[in-house]
Amino acid sequence: MEVVRPIPAIALVPVAILLFPSNEQGIVFITCTAAFFPVLVSTRHAVRALVPVWEEAVRTMGGGRWRVLGSVVLPGALPGIFGGLSVGIGVSWICVISAEMISGQYGVGYRTWQDYTVVDYPGVFVGMVTIGVLGWVTSTAVERVGRWLTRWLPHTEYVAGARVRRAPAPVSPDQEPARGEVVRDEHLV
């Protein structure tokens, strides 16, 4: 498997053209191949990072393999799996657009390339914006599904442009925040 992973998915275009009778089937093959490895590697790292004590605890309480898988491995690996899916979605968009430009007969990549070849630059710009919007929508969808499935995890809120500073040392023990705690300057947002 490690021998195949470094091969860029777009390099599989000639193989896909030879193996699949339809150009669209080849594009699906290239896209799935491109997304497979980021998800696989991320999932593998997430599972390996799990604390063995959790599995031992489930087994001590009489749980079998399926209980360990459902109670420890899957919930513990979900953040890593969705991290891999996020990367996989981005790589898939790159590959599907490139494959459509090279050998497709339909799609946004094909249309953008056709507009480029006939020197229709407004059409190229519309294609690029469409690709960006579609990429953002799919990436946001994966992120939201991941947040929903891992809603039991504490999530940090991202505030664009917020500055983070260190809190000053407390005058008394009752004063919050504690020394070294990160404080957000909300008035700067």
Side-chain angles (χ1 to χ4, degrees):
M1 213 44 126
E2 279 299 313
V3 175
V4 179
R5 188 172 64 93
I7 298 173
I10 203 68
L12 296 174
V13 169
V15 175
I17 291 171
L18 291 173
L19 290 178
F20 298 101
S22 163
N23 285 343
E24 303 310 315
Q25 291 173 338
I27 290 172
V28 170
F29 167 74
I30 291 166
T31 304
C32 290
T33 304
F36 177 73
F37 288 107
V39 175
L40 176 71
V41 170
S42 181
T43 302
R44 184 177 64 192
H45 287 298
V47 169
R48 286 184 179 172
L50 294 175
V51 180
V53 172
W54 297 344
E55 178 184 350
E56 293 169 10
V58 171
R59 290 200 183 271
T60 301
M61 292 189 277
R65 288 180 161 222
W66 290 106
R67 178 58 102 181
V68 169
L69 181 66
S71 299
V72 175
V73 176
L74 190 58
L78 270 179
I81 292 169
F82 276 96
L85 282 172
S86 269
V87 173
I89 287 287
V91 172
S92 292
W93 271 110
I94 292 169
C95 287
V96 76
I97 297 301
S98 301
E100 284 176 354
M101 286 180 174
I102 293 170
S103 69
Q105 296 173 345
Y106 307 100
V108 180
Y110 172 78
R111 175 76 0 228
T112 304
W113 184 254
Q114 291 303 311
D115 288 341
Y116 170 75
T117 57
V118 296
V119 193
D120 179 15
Y121 294 123
V124 172
F125 181 74
V126 167
M128 290 170 47
V129 169
T130 303
I131 292 166
V133 168
L134 289 173
W136 176 79
V137 165
T138 54
S139 188
T140 301
V142 167
E143 180 183 346
R144 288 192 179 189
V145 168
R147 282 184 178 264
W148 183 77
L149 287 175
T150 60
R151 58 190 175 274
W152 46 271
L153 284 174
H155 291 287
T156 57
E157 291 297 321
Y158 173 73
V159 179
R163 295 184 186 175
V164 177
R165 65 177 172 84
R166 294 279 171 198
V171 177
S172 69
D174 298 332
Q175 184 179 355
E176 291 294 330
R179 171 173 240 141
E181 184 178 347
V182 175
V183 176
R184 187 178 307 274
D185 286 334
E186 296 299 332
H187 66 280
L188 296 175
V189 177

